[in-house]
Amino acid sequence: MSTAHARDGRFLLAPLTIFLLAMLGLPLAVDLIYSLSRVEFATILSPQFVGLENYGQALRSESYWQAAWFSLRFGLIAALAQLLLGLFLAIFLAPLIDKRPWLLAFLMLPMMVAPALVGLMYRLILHEFVGVVPWFLFTYWGDSPSFLGPDNAFTTLVVVEVLQWTPFALLILYSAYAAVPAEVREAAAIDGAGPWRRLWAIDLPLMAPAMGAAFFIRFIDGFRVFDNVYTLTGAGAGGSTTTMSIWVYQAFFKSGDIGQAVAASMLLLAASWLVLALVHRVSERRA
Amino acid sequence: MNLLRWLVFAVAALAMNFPVIATLVTSFKSEAEIASNPSWWIQAPTLANYAGVFAMADRFDVLHYLWNSFASALLGAGLSLVLAFPAAFALVRFGAGRRWLMPLVVNLRAIPLIVFAIPLYLVYARVGLLDTKLGLALILCVVNLPLVLILLAAALRDLPVELDEAARVDGASTFTLLWRIVLPLAGPALATTMVLGFVYAWNEFLFALMLTTRDAVTATVGASFFFAASGGGVRWGAAAAVMMLSVLPPVVLGLLLYRRIGQSLAAGAVKG
C-alpha cells in the first residue's frame, strides 16, 4: 500500500471514527465515571467518588442475578429452538421455495415488524377477555392457561421470540443449503447414499458455519432482549420476567439510582464481551 | 410429500404472521364487538377505530408520531450510509482500519444498547438533544452501523478491482473514483442497505422510549401509550388501529424488496 493510499484511507475513515468516538466513547466515559460514584438526578453534576461500591451493590442484589439468569436462559433456549425450527423449515421447504421464491416473502415478514409492537400485539391476542387465543381455547377446549401469569410468562415469551425470529435462522440456513454444490450431492447419491445419509454426511457439515452464525446472532439478541419482553409483560409477573436490560432501565428510571444502574450496565457490557471473546476463540480454532 | 410441504409452509407462515393478522382483524371491529366477540371473524366490519385515532389529535397525534418515526429513521439510515460508504471503501480497497474499526463496529451488534442509553440520556439532557428527532436519528445511525458497514463492505468487495485500476490509469483521484465510478455501481446495494436501515431504525424501541417524551415520540412508543392507560382500561380497537398504522411502512417495504433483503441479511450474517 502506497503512502498516498494510506493517507486517503485515513481520510475516508475519519468521519466514521469521529462519529463513533462522540456517540460511543463519550457515553462509555460517562458510564465509567458514574459507575464509581454516588449520583442521583439532583446531584448529576457533582458525583461523589465511592470506588466499587455500586458494583458490589449490584452483584449482591438478588434481583440482578435473577435477571442475569433469565437473560441467559431466554437467549439459549430461544436461539436453540430457532435454529432447529429454522433448519427443519429451510430443508423441508427448500423444494417449494426453489421454484417459488415469493413464498419467502411470507416467511420473512415477521422480521419487518418491530419487536415492541409484537409484544403489544400479543398483549391483545392473549388477553383473557378480548384475546383470540384464550377465546379459541375456552370455546374448543374449555380452559385456557394464564399465558402471562408467573408460571407461564417465560414460556410465552420464548414462544413469541421464536415465532418472530425463526425466519432469520430460516433465511440464513436456506441460503447455506442452496449453496451446497449439487455435484457433491449427486456424487454421494451415485455412491448409494440415501437422503438421510446425504443430509447427515454432506448437507449438515457444510451448513455448520451458517448454523453457528444463526445460533450466535439469535443468542446475543435474546441475551440483550428488551423490547418485546418490556411491552408484553412489562417485566411483570412478579418480576420474574426482568431481563438484564430491563433491570438496568428500571434502576435508572424507577429508582433513580444512576450509579448502580450504570455499574450494572458495565457488568452487562463485560458479560457480552466475555461471550464475544469465547465465540471468537471457538470459531478461530475451527477455522 | 409436496402436499405435506405446502401444509407445513401454511402453518409456519400463519403462526409466524399471526400477531399481525389477528391485530388487523381486531382493528376492523367496533369496541363493542371486540368485547363481545374475540374470535377471528368480524360480524360488522368498521373503520371507526382508524377514524377515531385520527380524530383525537389533541391528546394522541398519530400523524405526528408517524412523521417522527419516518423522519428520524430516514435521517438515521441516511447518515449511517454517508459515514459507512467511504469507510467501507477504505476497508475493502486499502485495508485501512481492518484491524480495529471493522471488529469494533461489528461487535457493536452484540452489545446491549442499554449500556449507551443511560449516559446518552444524561449527555442529551445537557446539550438539548433530548426529545428531538436529530438526537434520536444520531443514535439510530449508531444502531444501524454494524449491519450497514458489513453489507456495504460485502457489496464493494464484489465490484471488480480492474475498474478502480482503469480509473487510476486515467488519472482519477480516490475521491473522483469513489464518486464517479464506485457510487453508481454500488447503487443497488446502497438502496437495499438504505431500506433495511430504515426498517431497523423505524422498529427501534429502547432509545425512542428513553430519549423522547413528547415532541419526538415515535409510532412504536406512541402505540405503547394505549396500554399504559390505567383506570379506564385499554381501548383495544384504537390500539389495534395504531399498531397497524405503525407496522405498515416496514412491512410494505419488506414485501416489495423481500428478495434483495433476504439475500442481504443472509450474506451479512455469515460474512459478519
Side-chain angles (χ1 to χ4, degrees), chain A residues 1 4-6 8-13 15-17 19-20 22-28 30-31 34 41 44-45 85 88-89 91-97 99-118 120-125 127 129-133 135-136 140 162-168 170-172 175 209-210 213-214 216-218 220-221 223-224 226-228 230-231 244-246 248-249 252-253 258 261-262 265-266 268-269 272 276, chain B residues 1-2 4-6 8-9 12-13 15-20 22-23 26 34-35 37-41 79 83-84 86-91 93-98 100-101 104-105 107-124 126 135 138-139 141-142 145 149 168 173-175 178 196 199-200 202-206 209-210 219-220 223-224 227-228 234 236 240 242-244 246-247 250-251 253-255 257-259 261-263 265-270:
Chain A
M1 185 162 69
H5 277 187
D8 285 355
R10 276 199 299 276
F11 196 81
L12 292 173
L13 290 185
L16 181 58
T17 311
F19 179 75
L20 286 174
M23 293 301 292
L24 300 178
L26 183 63
L28 273 184
V30 173
D31 264 343
Y34 280 1
F41 278 105
I44 204 85
L45 288 179
L85 194 56
F88 164 71
L89 290 176
I91 294 178
F92 190 67
L93 298 181
L96 292 189
I97 300 173
K99 270 181 248 152
R100 303 169 196 80
W102 51 268
L103 289 178
L104 269 184
F106 294 95
L107 299 176
M108 225 184 61
L109 223 47
M111 299 195 310
M112 299 293 130
V113 182
L117 283 181
V118 169
L120 292 176
M121 287 173 174
Y122 274 105
R123 248 165 97 165
L124 164 66
I125 296 162
H127 190 270
F129 298 130
V130 304
V132 57
V133 172
W135 172 86
F136 190 83
Y140 295 101
V162 169
L163 283 178
Q164 181 172 20
W165 292 107
T166 293
F168 185 83
L170 164 73
L171 209 59
I172 293 172
S175 299
F216 173 61
I217 291 175
R218 292 318 312 150
I220 279 291
D221 280 353
F223 180 70
R224 60 178 201 164
F226 181 90
D227 303 7
N228 51 4
Y230 181 83
T231 55
M244 289 182 98
S245 296
I246 292 177
V248 174
Y249 174 84
F252 179 64
F253 268 119
I258 299 173
V262 169
S265 75
M266 290 301 267
L268 184 54
L269 179 66
S272 317
L276 274 174
Chain B
M1 193 64 178
N2 242 359
L4 192 62
R5 282 189 224 277
W6 277 109
V8 168
F9 167 78
M16 296 192 301
N17 292 300
F18 183 69
V20 178
T23 306
T26 305
I34 293 170
N37 168 32
S39 68
W40 39 264
W41 75 77
L79 186 61
L83 290 170
F89 183 78
L91 271 163
R93 287 292 195 259
F94 306 148
R98 189 180 288 160
W100 57 274
L101 185 70
L104 178 84
V105 175
N107 286 345
L108 199 56
R109 170 79 175 72
I111 294 174
L113 300 171
I114 189 86
V115 172
F116 302 107
I118 293 175
L120 274 176
Y121 179 92
L122 302 173
V123 172
Y124 273 19
R126 298 291 304 164
L138 287 175
I139 191 63
C141 168
V142 176
L145 272 173
L149 191 65
R168 295 258 184 228
S173 71
T174 298
F175 307 100
L178 201 59
L196 258 179
V199 169
Y200 273 44
W202 178 288
N203 287 347
E204 207 286 324
F205 180 71
L206 175 61
L209 180 71
M210 286 187 71
T220 40
S224 75
F227 295 85
V234 178
W236 297 103
V242 170
M243 287 193 276
M244 286 324 292
S246 322
V247 92
V251 163
L253 286 173
L255 274 177
L257 289 165
Y258 73 93
R259 231 168 161 167
I261 288 179
Q263 284 163 352
L265 277 180
V270 178

Side-chain angles (χ1 to χ4, degrees), chain B residues 30-60:
Chain B
S30 67
E31 296 284 353
E33 189 183 341
I34 293 170
S36 61
N37 168 32
S39 68
W40 39 264
W41 75 77
I42 312 171
Q43 283 156 353
T46 170
L47 288 172
N49 292 319
Y50 291 91
V53 162
F54 285 111
M56 55 170 145
D58 50 329
R59 283 175 298 125
F60 183 89

Side-chain angles (χ1 to χ4, degrees), chain A:
Chain A
M1 185 162 69
S2 69
T3 48
H5 277 187
R7 201 192 55 222
D8 285 355
R10 276 199 299 276
F11 196 81
L12 292 173
L13 290 185
L16 181 58
T17 311
I18 294 166
F19 179 75
L20 286 174
L21 270 177
M23 293 301 292
L24 300 178
L26 183 63
L28 273 184
V30 173
D31 264 343
L32 194 64
I33 294 168
Y34 280 1
S35 72
L36 299 170
S37 314
R38 181 172 303 132
V39 58
E40 280 158 23
F41 278 105
T43 58
I44 204 85
L45 288 179
S46 52
Q48 194 189 346
F49 184 77
V50 291
L52 294 173
E53 197 184 295
N54 288 319
Y55 289 91
Q57 249 176 34
L59 285 174
R60 275 196 306 275
S61 146
E62 202 180 313
S63 62
Y64 189 70
W65 285 105
Q66 202 182 339
W69 175 231
F70 180 96
S71 294
L72 193 66
R73 235 170 12 132
F74 181 81
L76 284 175
I77 297 176
L80 190 65
Q82 290 165 61
L83 176 69
L84 294 177
L85 194 56
L87 192 64
F88 164 71
L89 290 176
I91 294 178
F92 190 67
L93 298 181
L96 292 189
I97 300 173
D98 287 343
K99 270 181 248 152
R100 303 169 196 80
W102 51 268
L103 289 178
L104 269 184
F106 294 95
L107 299 176
M108 225 184 61
L109 223 47
M111 299 195 310
M112 299 293 130
V113 182
L117 283 181
V118 169
L120 292 176
M121 287 173 174
Y122 274 105
R123 248 165 97 165
L124 164 66
I125 296 162
L126 298 177
H127 190 270
E128 56 178 330
F129 298 130
V130 304
V132 57
V133 172
W135 172 86
F136 190 83
L137 290 174
F138 274 125
T139 308
Y140 295 101
W141 193 42
D143 193 20
S144 168
S146 153
F147 286 99
L148 301 177
D151 293 340
N152 301 319
F154 181 80
T155 314
T156 304
L157 288 168
V158 169
V159 171
V160 166
E161 174 88 354
V162 169
L163 283 178
Q164 181 172 20
W165 292 107
T166 293
F168 185 83
L170 164 73
L171 209 59
I172 293 172
L173 296 171
Y174 172 71
S175 299
Y177 186 68
V180 174
E183 307 90 65
V184 184
R185 241 179 242 151
E186 279 158 23
I190 291 167
D191 288 346
W196 283 108
R197 176 122 177 78
R198 284 195 302 250
L199 183 68
W200 275 110
I202 292 165
D203 293 326
L204 291 184
L206 285 172
M207 289 166 76
M211 284 159 66
F215 179 82
F216 173 61
I217 291 175
R218 292 318 312 150
F219 166 71
I220 279 291
D221 280 353
F223 180 70
R224 60 178 201 164
V225 67
F226 181 90
D227 303 7
N228 51 4
V229 176
Y230 181 83
T231 55
L232 181 51
T233 65
S240 63
T241 62
T242 305
T243 72
M244 289 182 98
S245 296
I246 292 177
W247 195 95
V248 174
Y249 174 84
Q250 287 181 335
F252 179 64
F253 268 119
K254 295 221 172 111
S255 321
D257 191 341
I258 299 173
Q260 203 184 144
V262 169
S265 75
M266 290 301 267
L267 291 170
L268 184 54
L269 179 66
S272 317
W273 197 321
L274 206 71
V275 172
L276 274 174
L278 218 71
V279 168
H280 189 67
R281 179 160 289 190
V282 169
S283 65
E284 224 162 46
R285 193 172 296 164
R286 204 185 282 158

